[in-house]
Amino acid sequence: EKNNPFFVGDGVSMKSRPRGHATTHVRATPPQKRAAAVHRTTRSSLGARAQSDPSERADRIGVMPLDKSQFLETMALVALRIHKKQTGPLLKKLAGHIFHRARVKPVVPDEANPDLRLLLLSEAVTDVGLQGLPAELREHVLSEGATAVPYSLDLGYEHLSVEQCLRRLLPEGIDEIPSSFEQVGHVAHVNLRAEHLPYKTLIGEVLLDKNTPRIRSVVNKVESISSHADEKAWRFLVFPMEVIAGEDNLRTSVRENGARFELDYRDVY
């Protein structure tokens, strides 16, 4: 290790590296009064796109920049207006009938009254008469003084995972969605298949955006791993790669077992 310019630390070798996962933030809109029956609506260009010719859709997406507005949709739900002290007991009592979606809180403040909360019910509850909720539970929540009200929930790009975003963007014929990657420092490494290559820039942009700031570069392997020897006579497994999103600087550092290693990912694998 003392002759290795990429080593910084106590002589412990790098054997593993963490894998990435996407994170996003939650945003919910306040309730809106509506008399119509509760249903799910979508206000995005995805609907029109899904009805178009799949081959035309694929060609268009392959060259389009990422437009986050196309992910916007509104879900029409039913919420229970309750006192904040009832939140815990009713969450427990209504387990299995609460709205569940990653990165969305099922309990939101009632802007009209700081002492009240809105408890979002599952999509199976279809109207303010609480149809879809078992009769026993329906009677219980009403006896507790809860009031059923319509609730409009706006969802967007920030509520979706990498896989959910790419599944909407990529052509329907692509079954395997490249949502996972190997992480080395600030670099994410993916192995895209031939079917993914026309959309590599779009894939890289979504991966980068969903994993910022811990990921600043996304690279794709373009050939098989090979052996490479330099003038110092040590050998590393390396592979030709291309940066498909983010910074072109692949000089990074990783920490393993208390030791820190600095390396250029193009030269060391």
Side-chain angles (χ1 to χ4, degrees):
E1 290 85 353
K2 66 181 180 180
N3 295 321
N4 189 335
F6 300 109
F7 175 76
V8 180
D10 58 4
V12 181
S13 62
M14 179 175 65
K15 295 183 179 179
S16 64
R17 53 182 71 92
R19 294 190 176 273
H21 63 277
T23 56
T24 52
H25 298 285
V26 175
R27 178 174 59 84
T29 58
Q32 301 174 2
K33 295 181 179 179
R34 293 192 298 178
V38 177
H39 63 283
R40 177 172 179 162
T41 59
T42 300
R43 53 178 179 85
S44 71
S45 60
L46 288 175
R49 176 171 292 175
Q51 296 173 4
S52 63
D53 178 31
S55 61
E56 178 185 356
R57 174 174 178 262
D59 292 341
R60 187 165 62 247
I61 292 175
V63 297
M64 285 179 61
L66 179 61
D67 177 13
K68 296 180 182 179
S69 66
Q70 66 186 293
F71 295 94
L72 293 176
E73 66 177 271
T74 297
M75 295 190 68
L77 303 172
V78 174
L80 292 177
R81 180 175 282 122
I82 60 176
H83 193 276
K84 60 184 180 182
K85 293 181 179 180
Q86 297 174 295
T87 302
L90 284 177
L91 277 173
K92 184 177 181 180
K93 185 72 174 181
L94 294 171
H97 302 281
I98 303 297
F99 180 77
H100 177 74
R101 179 71 65 90
R103 290 168 285 278
V104 176
K105 295 179 179 179
V107 180
V108 297
D110 185 345
E111 293 189 349
N113 189 331
D115 290 330
L116 301 182
R117 299 291 183 267
L118 294 171
L119 177 59
L120 307 186
L121 299 179
S122 72
E123 297 166 84
V125 181
T126 55
D127 58 41
V128 294
L130 299 180
Q131 296 300 317
L133 198 64
E136 178 184 354
L137 291 178
R138 187 162 60 243
E139 293 175 3
H140 176 77
V141 296
L142 294 177
S143 68
E144 291 292 315
T147 303
V149 296
Y151 185 86
S152 294
L153 177 67
D154 284 352
L155 299 175
Y157 173 82
E158 66 271 23
H159 298 100
L160 301 178
S161 66
V162 171
E163 181 176 1
Q164 289 171 327
C165 288
L166 292 179
R167 196 168 292 282
R168 293 192 184 193
L169 291 169
L170 298 178
E172 294 178 359
I174 297 181
D175 295 326
E176 183 172 339
I177 303 300
S179 58
S180 61
F181 56 85
E182 184 174 45
Q183 181 180 350
V184 179
H186 72 269
V187 180
H189 161 216
V190 295
N191 296 322
L192 299 182
R193 296 184 174 187
E195 61 182 353
H196 300 141
L197 294 181
Y199 318 103
K200 61 185 180 182
T201 301
L202 183 62
I203 293 169
E205 185 177 354
V206 173
L207 286 170
L208 182 67
D209 191 56
K210 288 290 188 179
N211 292 280
T212 298
R214 66 189 183 92
I215 294 298
R216 303 199 307 272
S217 303
V218 182
V219 301
N220 175 48
K221 182 177 72 175
V222 295
E223 292 181 22
S224 299
I225 294 177
S226 61
S227 294
H228 167 74
D230 62 17
E231 68 277 6
K232 299 276 186 186
W234 59 76
R235 300 175 66 85
F236 300 97
L237 291 176
V238 296
F239 55 88
M241 67 184 71
E242 60 178 344
V243 177
I244 59 175
E247 302 174 5
D248 190 50
N249 176 23
L250 302 186
R251 182 82 181 184
T252 189
S253 64
V254 294
R255 187 175 295 276
E256 296 288 341
N257 299 320
R260 183 169 62 88
F261 299 83
E262 294 183 355
L263 60 127
D264 189 320
Y265 195 54
R266 288 189 174 92
D267 298 329
V268 182
Y269 176 68

